């Protein structure tokens, strides 16, 4: 949560300075962030619903496979995950490697979480990729134009989009090898 403090406080200050205090404007401060929406799948995969029959070793197998894969991928993959930051490169890489490491487990995971949940999750994952592209490719091009805008509301809304793309793709996370 602390990594969002600067983003939120800057956005609130800008909203107050420009009298952008209606529900719609303030709603942009914590807009949709697909990486947080996708993170719930990990919890869902490790939960057992009432009456659901699950192999007693299911959760341990899931955790062991994923942590082994992420450990092999390195700390730049492991640390964001441990700090609740889902990034498309780490997610795609760990999913692909988990499938290769234990392909017979994937159908069990799908059966456990269910097709509708998986489809919804894949929508969030595709939005992480989209937000990543928008942050990396569009923000650097658009930001100079937005900075020159005279309309404070438009400037505010664009800045919230930039924030959403950055934080929603996990690009706010900076890996520091020194800890």
């Amino acid at each position: 949560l602390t990594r969002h403090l600067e983003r939120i406080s800057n956005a609130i200050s800008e909203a107050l300075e420009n009298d952008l205090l209606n529900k719609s404007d303030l709603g942009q401060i914590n807009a949709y962030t697909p990486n947080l929406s996708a993170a719930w799948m990990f919890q869902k995969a490790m939960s057992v619903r009432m009456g659901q029959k699950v192999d007693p070793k299911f959760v341990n197998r899931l955790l062991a496979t994923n942590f082994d894969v992420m450990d092999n991928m390195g700390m730049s993959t492991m640390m964001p995950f441990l700090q609740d930051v889902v990034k498309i490169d780490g997610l795609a890489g760990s999913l692909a490697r988990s499938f290769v490491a234990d392909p017979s487990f994937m159908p069990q995971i799908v059966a456990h979480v269910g097709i509708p949940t998986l489809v919804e999750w894949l929508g969030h994952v595709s939005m992480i990729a989209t937000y990543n592209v928008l942050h990396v490719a569009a923000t650097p091009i658009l930001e100079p134009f937005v900075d020159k805008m005279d309309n404070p509301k438009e400037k505010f809304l664009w800045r919230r989009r930039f924030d959403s793309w950055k934080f929603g793709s996990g690009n706010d996370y900076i890996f520091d090898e020194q800890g």
Side-chain angles (χ1 to χ4, degrees), residues 53-100:
K53 302 288 186 226
V54 178
D55 179 344
K57 296 179 184 176
F58 178 85
V59 172
N60 287 341
R61 182 177 176 187
L62 179 66
L63 289 171
T65 301
N66 284 313
F67 277 104
D68 186 49
V69 163
M70 287 189 295
D71 185 46
N72 289 333
M73 291 175 71
M75 293 307 286
S76 63
T77 298
M78 181 75 79
M79 291 307 295
F81 178 81
L82 292 175
Q83 296 176 21
D84 292 326
V85 178
V86 179
K87 298 179 75 168
I88 196 65
D89 55 347
L91 178 62
S94 62
L95 286 174
R97 291 175 190 201
S98 291
F99 180 76
V100 170

Side-chain angles (χ1 to χ4, degrees), residues 2-179:
T2 58
R3 73 177 194 277
H4 291 268
L5 288 176
E6 183 178 0
R7 172 186 67 82
I8 292 170
S9 62
N10 288 342
I12 291 171
S13 292
E14 187 176 351
L16 288 168
E17 288 168 12
N18 295 294
D19 196 30
L20 299 169
L21 304 174
N22 66 51
K23 181 179 178 180
S24 176
D25 294 333
L26 294 176
Q28 298 306 307
I29 293 173
N30 268 332
Y32 169 66
T33 48
N35 65 340
L36 293 177
S37 296
W40 61 264
M41 176 59 114
F42 305 120
Q43 183 273 335
K44 179 102 173 153
M46 293 183 284
S47 300
V48 178
R49 293 181 301 277
M50 293 292 288
Q52 186 179 23
K53 302 288 186 226
V54 178
D55 179 344
K57 296 179 184 176
F58 178 85
V59 172
N60 287 341
R61 182 177 176 187
L62 179 66
L63 289 171
T65 301
N66 284 313
F67 277 104
D68 186 49
V69 163
M70 287 189 295
D71 185 46
N72 289 333
M73 291 175 71
M75 293 307 286
S76 63
T77 298
M78 181 75 79
M79 291 307 295
F81 178 81
L82 292 175
Q83 296 176 21
D84 292 326
V85 178
V86 179
K87 298 179 75 168
I88 196 65
D89 55 347
L91 178 62
S94 62
L95 286 174
R97 291 175 190 201
S98 291
F99 180 76
V100 170
D102 195 355
S104 66
F105 194 39
M106 293 306 127
Q108 291 176 46
I109 295 170
V110 172
H112 180 73
V113 298
I115 297 291
T117 300
L118 182 62
V119 169
E120 181 182 352
W121 180 77
L122 288 171
H124 294 302
V125 170
S126 69
M127 291 306 294
I128 296 170
T130 300
Y131 275 39
N132 187 64
V133 169
L134 288 168
H135 174 70
V136 171
T139 298
I141 294 167
L142 296 172
E143 205 164 30
F145 295 104
V146 169
D147 289 341
K148 293 177 185 172
M149 287 181 168
D150 292 328
N151 183 326
K153 181 172 181 144
E154 285 300 313
K155 188 182 281 192
F156 175 82
L157 293 175
W158 274 105
R159 286 184 177 153
R160 300 304 68 80
R161 284 183 192 109
F162 296 154
D163 286 348
S164 183
W165 298 342
K166 179 179 180 178
F167 283 79
S169 63
N171 281 303
D172 62 297
Y173 184 85
I174 308 221
F175 175 68
D176 179 6
E177 291 194 41
Q178 280 74 45

